[in-house]
Amino acid sequence: DAFAAWRLARGMPAVAVQWGPWAEVGMAARAGTSESMVLRIQPDEGLEAMAAVLSTPSSLRTGAVGVARIKWSSFLANMPTLPPFLDNFKQYKKGG
């Protein structure tokens, strides 16, 4: 993240990817983490996501992007109120 910010501050292209848990590799796969709110990323899906990130024009990159498979209904059910930055997902919140 800091390296991406450093490069961007100097007019160079950069992006830092905040990855969600992966299915077949990494800590989440080894630990067998729960998928109640965040699903694991299959390797082929991760490669597709990386291709999408890298094919985005550098003028649209702000330095960081998150890639995760979120179960929005489960995730939002744990929030008493929806923060404004999640307004686009309000249709997934039960009762709201």
Side-chain angles (χ1 to χ4, degrees):
D1 299 351
F3 185 57
W6 181 87
R7 286 184 56 88
L8 288 169
R10 286 156 182 76
M12 296 183 276
V15 65
V17 181
Q18 312 298 316
W19 291 102
W22 284 67
E24 296 178 22
V25 296
M27 184 175 62
R30 287 190 306 270
T33 58
S34 168
E35 291 188 274
S36 63
M37 283 191 265
V38 181
L39 300 170
R40 295 185 193 133
I41 300 167
Q42 296 297 324
D44 59 325
E45 295 168 330
L47 293 174
E48 287 179 34
M50 179 59 94
V53 168
L54 294 176
S55 67
T56 301
S58 60
S59 61
L60 297 177
R61 295 186 205 155
T62 59
V65 63
V67 177
R69 295 181 59 216
I70 298 171
K71 286 182 167 179
W72 288 106
S73 57
S74 298
F75 182 76
L76 298 175
N78 291 304
M79 298 181 150
T81 59
L82 196 63
F85 67 89
L86 290 176
D87 276 348
N88 289 339
F89 299 93
K90 63 185 165 195
Q91 72 267 21
Y92 299 108
K93 185 163 175 64
K94 292 182 173 104

